[in-house]
Amino acid sequence: MRRDMEFGELGDVEGALRAEGVGLAPISTGDASLMAGGVTVLATATATDIVEGRLKGLVVPGGSQDETALAAVRSLIDLARAQALPVIAFADGVAVAAASFGVEAEGQAALFKDGKAVLLDDRAALSAAVAAL
């Protein structure tokens, strides 16, 4: 969702998510391609994929700094919430997701589902939450 994704104290969690069977489909929040670690990552999903049920959830890394990117992230979270999809947010993405869901949540990671937030304090909690989806 941003040029260098921020997963906070949990570090790079993409491998942990993949180990739980989660296939990640990057969604760009702007016109530019995503940059991660100096590598260009082409977006492979769109907001339409959320609306049409082709995605099973939304992963929101932190780090969106400008208002345009934040507005795009909020829009994606709102779409996922409207489709009753789980949202896993990291770092400052937790606060953005909490505001969209209308719940209180502060932490390095959280799962938002069914109008509730569950804090994920470490990789074990993340793995357990993903396995339960």
Side-chain angles (χ1 to χ4, degrees), residues 5 7 12-27 34 36 41-42 44 59 88 90 123 126-127 130-131:
M5 295 177 270
F7 295 105
D12 184 0
V13 299
E14 290 185 59
L17 291 171
R18 289 183 198 282
E20 293 299 329
V22 175
L24 299 174
I27 299 176
L34 302 168
V41 179
L42 299 177
T44 58
V59 174
I88 301 174
F90 297 91
R123 285 182 184 240
L126 172 64
S127 293
V130 171

Side-chain angles (χ1 to χ4, degrees), residues 46-56 79-80 82-83 85:
T46 66
T48 303
D49 293 316
I50 294 173
V51 173
E52 294 180 356
R54 288 190 288 272
L55 300 181
K56 300 298 181 193
L79 281 175
Q83 296 298 316
L85 295 180

Side-chain angles (χ1 to χ4, degrees), residues 87-102:
V87 174
I88 301 174
F90 297 91
D92 56 351
V94 172
V96 176
S100 289
F101 274 81

Side-chain angles (χ1 to χ4, degrees), residues 2 10 30 50 77 86 97 102:
R2 96 173 241 250
L10 296 182
I50 294 173
I77 294 170

